[in-house]
Amino acid sequence: MKSEDRILLAHGSGGRLSRELVESVFGKIMSNPILDRMDDAATLKLEGRLAFTIDSHVVSPIFFPGGDIGRLSLTGTVNDLAMMGAIPLYISAGFIIEEGFRLRDLEIIAGSLQAAALEAAVQVVAGDTKVVGRGAADGIFITTCGLGSIPQGIMLSGSGAIPGDQIIVSGTIGDHGAAILSHREGIEFDAELKSDCAPLGALVGAMIEASPNIHVLRDPTRGGVAATLNEIAYASGVDIEINEEKIPYRSEVRGTCELLGLDPLILANEGKLVAFVAGSDSEIVLETMRKHTFGSEATVIGMVQNQASSRPRVYARTLLGSRRIISMPTGEQLPRIC
Amino acid sequence: MKSEDRILLAHGSGGRLSRELVESVFGKIMSNPILDRMDDAATLKLEGRLAFTIDSHVVSPIFFPGGDIGRLSLTGTVNDLAMMGAIPLYISAGFIIEEGFRLRDLEIIAGSLQAAALEAAVQVVAGDTKVVGRGAADGIFITTCGLGSIPQGIMLSGSGAIPGDQIIVSGTIGDHGAAILSHREGIEFDAELKSDCAPLGALVGAMIEASPNIHVLRDPTRGGVAATLNEIAYASGVDIEINEEKIPYRSEVRGTCELLGLDPLILANEGKLVAFVAGSDSEIVLETMRKHTFGSEATVIGMVQNQASSRPRVYARTLLGSRRIISMPTGEQLPRIC
């Protein structure tokens, strides 16, 4: 394959060129015994309770500091499985590609996806490729679907938060959103701002082993921590209070937010989680998280106050000691962040 | 919701409008206890061998005679599961929508997808919605992922064909491809040409019950019967011969092909299957298929001749008695057929 080669409409036709593309790119990069059978569906053997999820990825730009759409597509779906307490196992990926897309870029993206799959210890077992004409899509969109196994006794849900739960974030907030936005806007810092894009299955596995009293896990992607906390408050029927002072940010993220007039709490994260843990177990969970690469900066940012008497609310105790409502973000400013 | 309402970028932001869209469209139309939990992943209980598949759908136009992109997205994935002998059970769906898309059209499409899910006896248990700016996608793309349970003892694969197998098609060939192409080109017939878009799980279930000697099942979608037979010949290492006279077409399909200079064997089908069955069982399988709505015109079109001595080939015995090679289609002419 030559570096100047580009995707043609016929690569999506189901004919000879489709076959060649699948064999020379996906078959070569992602080869494993299940995928290599190239049947209409992958055959798997699994027992017990499963987690099943899907996410389409339309991030722009497709290459960004700290990752690309391939890595993001894998980690985004793996993390959704992990948030259910599941051990991520199998991934399927559907590619929608614009005619004229560079084959070399497709190889790089497939390579990133596969590298992230190895890092997350999952296998890509099924795939599909469609091609649309020039101008009918913007480069490449990737939809990934994930399948994981939920260990016996694990019951996590956004509706599980109860008063007294400590709220932990696994590290600095807003890195992914700020990296994409500053890259798009051409904002530069001394230290490069990178997406946090990472698979969290191993971190979650260690947390679950450390404590049976984790009530909710969520990855604050689109809509950021603000949306995630509002969703959990709403699903669990509780009021939440976080302490602004405790929220960890990188200085570059704070800088980007000041320049663009954004609240870091609404920025997407792609390698962070929010955990609601019974007060008695928050120390042991924190300790466990801090031993892990992707949880080394874990910290408690707030707690569940009470059952909501009317509409569930998320409050922030400000640096000045007053209390403000963190509302569900409206989101107009942040298209195509993941 | 007003009929003139349109999708905004903020509908894909993960914030308030995302939530409203999910609740007012998908939550209302596809409601079931698993989906309604709105967690990061659906939780399922399954045992044994599973089939797992993914398909992106980019068909243009999105509304066509006999179906729309919603129905197609559901049946396409259900049929991939059925071709592995699996009982289709669960579906997840990822929507990529262009800013400005009509909300009313989204409701119609979600309704078609759900109606097809009921017809196929599957549940949509997980979903995702992304919105891209005007011009960054062409209306709507839907990626569906399917999960099915493979009954004990069932082992179907494209590599299972052996000499002596009879090749059965479940009905007329090329309906979907011809319907899309004639609609695009503005070709009209007295009788409307409709897509055959239908879920084949129940048909396959009956076939498998009737005979343990079905070796291969495939749905001849993109690339048509020509691509499917070539793939099976290649995967199984056999030579195949079909009889042109035996291939069932609607006269409108033949007409479309004559007008556009296409071979009906390369047209996509979305509600048909090709079965390779041991000669001894072909009669009982045919009889079973013909009792079923989606198999009433099932017929034998050829057989597996021998192990391939060199490159596996698909031959057609022509009406004149000569033999021509059916090669893997190149596919340039047929973009966005599914």
Side-chain angles (χ1 to χ4, degrees):
Chain A
M1 189 179 295
K2 295 186 221 96
S3 62
E4 70 271 28
D5 283 349
R6 291 180 182 269
I7 293 288
L8 308 172
L9 278 176
H11 281 121
S13 67
R16 193 170 46 78
L17 280 178
S18 296
R19 188 192 185 93
E20 282 173 19
L21 179 69
V22 167
E23 285 180 353
S24 69
V25 179
F26 303 112
K28 201 174 280 176
I29 292 171
M30 297 169 183
S31 173
N32 64 58
I34 305 173
L35 185 67
D36 295 350
R37 293 181 63 176
M38 296 281 169
D39 274 322
D40 277 352
T43 312
L44 312 171
K45 197 149 171 39
L46 281 169
E47 295 291 326
R49 281 168 61 234
L50 304 179
F52 180 49
T53 190
I54 193 163
D55 252 318
S56 293
H57 299 86
V58 299
V59 67
S60 170
I62 53 175
F63 296 102
F64 49 80
D68 62 28
I69 193 170
R71 179 172 176 82
L72 182 66
S73 297
L74 193 288
T75 58
T77 288
V78 158
N79 291 348
D80 279 346
L81 296 174
M83 296 310 123
M84 302 303 291
I87 301 161
L89 294 171
Y90 298 109
I91 299 289
S92 58
F95 293 76
I96 297 172
I97 310 174
E98 184 185 9
E99 181 189 15
F101 194 76
R102 289 179 58 211
L103 268 171
R104 181 71 196 121
D105 286 344
L106 181 62
E107 290 177 317
I108 294 170
I109 288 165
S112 300
L113 199 159
Q114 175 63 11
L118 288 174
E119 190 182 337
V122 297
Q123 281 186 297
V124 179
V125 294
D128 180 54
T129 309
K130 293 291 188 312
V131 180
V132 298
R134 274 176 207 272
D138 184 15
I140 186 167
F141 302 142
I142 305 177
T143 302
T144 44
C145 184
L147 205 51
S149 166
I150 306 177
Q152 200 110 35
I154 301 296
M155 275 287 186
L156 293 170
S157 170
S159 59
I162 56 172
D165 281 355
Q166 297 285 305
I167 303 170
I168 298 173
V169 295
S170 60
T172 55
I173 288 303
D175 297 23
H176 177 76
I180 299 284
L181 290 172
S182 62
H183 191 65
R184 252 190 233 164
E185 304 286 333
I187 302 169
E188 280 183 36
F189 296 94
D190 288 348
E192 193 185 31
L193 185 52
K194 279 188 185 166
S195 166
D196 54 352
C197 195
L200 300 176
L203 172 64
V204 169
M207 291 167 67
I208 284 175
E209 207 171 306
S211 163
N213 296 310
I214 298 171
H215 298 150
V216 184
L217 291 178
R218 277 286 166 102
D219 54 337
T221 57
R222 277 187 296 177
V225 171
T228 296
L229 293 181
N230 270 284
E231 278 168 14
I232 296 169
Y234 182 88
S236 301
V238 296
D239 291 330
I240 286 171
E241 186 177 290
I242 60 171
N243 192 331
E244 278 199 340
E245 212 171 2
K246 304 281 187 191
I247 301 166
Y249 307 110
R250 289 192 200 290
S251 60
E252 307 90 83
V253 171
R254 204 184 287 271
T256 302
C257 284
E258 279 167 9
L259 277 167
L260 300 177
L262 293 172
D263 181 348
L265 283 174
I266 70 167
L267 291 184
N269 308 273
E270 291 290 347
K272 298 289 154 39
L273 62 80
V274 174
F276 284 56
V277 183
S280 57
D281 281 18
S282 67
E283 266 313 311
I284 177 80
V285 171
L286 264 182
E287 247 174 62
T288 306
M289 291 175 77
R290 286 177 180 156
K291 284 182 198 145
H292 198 283
T293 320
F294 300 133
S296 60
E297 296 173 282
T299 188
V300 172
I301 61 163
M303 68 180 291
V304 178
Q305 298 267 333
N306 45 257
Q307 294 294 336
S309 53
S310 56
R311 192 174 149 199
R313 290 281 190 196
V314 179
Y315 298 97
R317 181 67 60 184
T318 68
L319 303 179
L320 302 170
S322 63
R323 222 161 78 136
R324 66 175 177 111
I325 290 174
I326 307 278
S327 52
M328 193 72 174
T330 53
E332 278 82 358
Q333 315 102 319
L334 305 167
R336 298 184 63 185
I337 212 73
C338 60
Chain B
M1 187 179 297
K2 297 187 220 96
S3 62
E4 71 270 26
D5 283 349
R6 290 179 183 268
I7 292 288
L8 309 172
L9 277 176
H11 281 121
S13 67
R16 192 169 47 77
L17 280 178
S18 296
R19 188 190 185 92
E20 283 173 19
L21 179 70
V22 167
E23 285 180 353
S24 70
V25 179
F26 302 113
K28 201 173 280 174
I29 293 171
M30 297 169 183
S31 175
N32 65 57
I34 305 173
L35 185 67
D36 295 350
R37 294 182 62 178
M38 295 282 170
D39 274 322
D40 277 353
T43 313
L44 312 171
K45 197 149 171 37
L46 282 170
E47 297 289 324
R49 281 167 62 234
L50 304 179
F52 180 50
T53 189
I54 192 164
D55 252 319
S56 292
H57 299 86
V58 298
V59 66
S60 170
I62 54 175
F63 296 102
F64 49 80
D68 62 28
I69 192 172
R71 180 171 175 83
L72 182 65
S73 297
L74 193 288
T75 57
T77 289
V78 158
N79 291 348
D80 278 347
L81 295 175
M83 296 311 123
M84 301 303 291
I87 301 162
L89 294 172
Y90 299 109
I91 299 289
S92 59
F95 293 76
I96 297 173
I97 312 174
E98 185 186 10
E99 180 189 16
F101 193 76
R102 290 179 58 210
L103 268 172
R104 181 71 196 120
D105 286 344
L106 182 62
E107 290 178 316
I108 293 170
I109 289 165
S112 299
L113 198 158
Q114 175 64 11
L118 288 174
E119 190 181 336
V122 298
Q123 282 186 298
V124 180
V125 293
D128 181 54
T129 310
K130 293 291 188 314
V131 180
V132 297
R134 274 175 208 274
D138 184 16
I140 187 168
F141 302 143
I142 305 177
T143 302
T144 44
C145 184
L147 205 51
S149 166
I150 305 177
Q152 201 109 35
I154 301 297
M155 276 286 187
L156 292 170
S157 169
S159 59
I162 56 172
D165 281 355
Q166 297 285 306
I167 304 170
I168 299 173
V169 295
S170 59
T172 55
I173 288 303
D175 296 24
H176 176 76
I180 299 283
L181 290 172
S182 63
H183 192 64
R184 252 190 231 162
E185 304 287 332
I187 302 168
E188 279 182 39
F189 296 94
D190 289 346
E192 194 186 31
L193 185 50
K194 279 189 185 166
S195 166
D196 54 351
C197 195
L200 301 176
L203 173 63
V204 169
M207 291 167 68
I208 283 175
E209 207 171 306
S211 162
N213 296 310
I214 298 171
H215 298 149
V216 184
L217 290 178
R218 277 284 164 103
D219 53 338
T221 58
R222 277 186 295 178
V225 171
T228 296
L229 293 181
N230 271 283
E231 278 168 13
I232 296 169
Y234 182 89
S236 300
V238 295
D239 290 329
I240 286 171
E241 186 176 291
I242 59 172
N243 192 332
E244 279 199 339
E245 210 172 2
K246 304 281 185 192
I247 301 167
Y249 307 109
R250 289 192 199 291
S251 61
E252 306 90 86
V253 171
R254 201 182 289 272
T256 302
C257 284
E258 279 167 10
L259 278 167
L260 301 176
L262 293 171
D263 181 347
L265 283 175
I266 71 167
L267 291 185
N269 308 273
E270 292 290 346
K272 298 289 156 40
L273 61 80
V274 174
F276 283 56
V277 182
S280 56
D281 281 19
S282 66
E283 267 313 311
I284 176 80
V285 171
L286 264 182
E287 246 174 64
T288 307
M289 292 175 75
R290 286 177 181 156
K291 284 182 198 146
H292 198 283
T293 321
F294 299 133
S296 59
E297 298 174 281
T299 187
V300 171
I301 61 164
M303 69 181 288
V304 179
Q305 299 268 334
N306 44 256
Q307 294 293 337
S309 52
S310 56
R311 194 175 147 198
R313 290 281 189 196
V314 180
Y315 299 96
R317 181 68 59 185
T318 69
L319 303 179
L320 302 171
S322 61
R323 223 161 75 136
R324 67 175 176 114
I325 290 175
I326 307 277
S327 52
M328 193 72 173
T330 53
E332 277 81 0
Q333 317 100 320
L334 305 167
R336 299 184 63 184
I337 212 75
C338 62

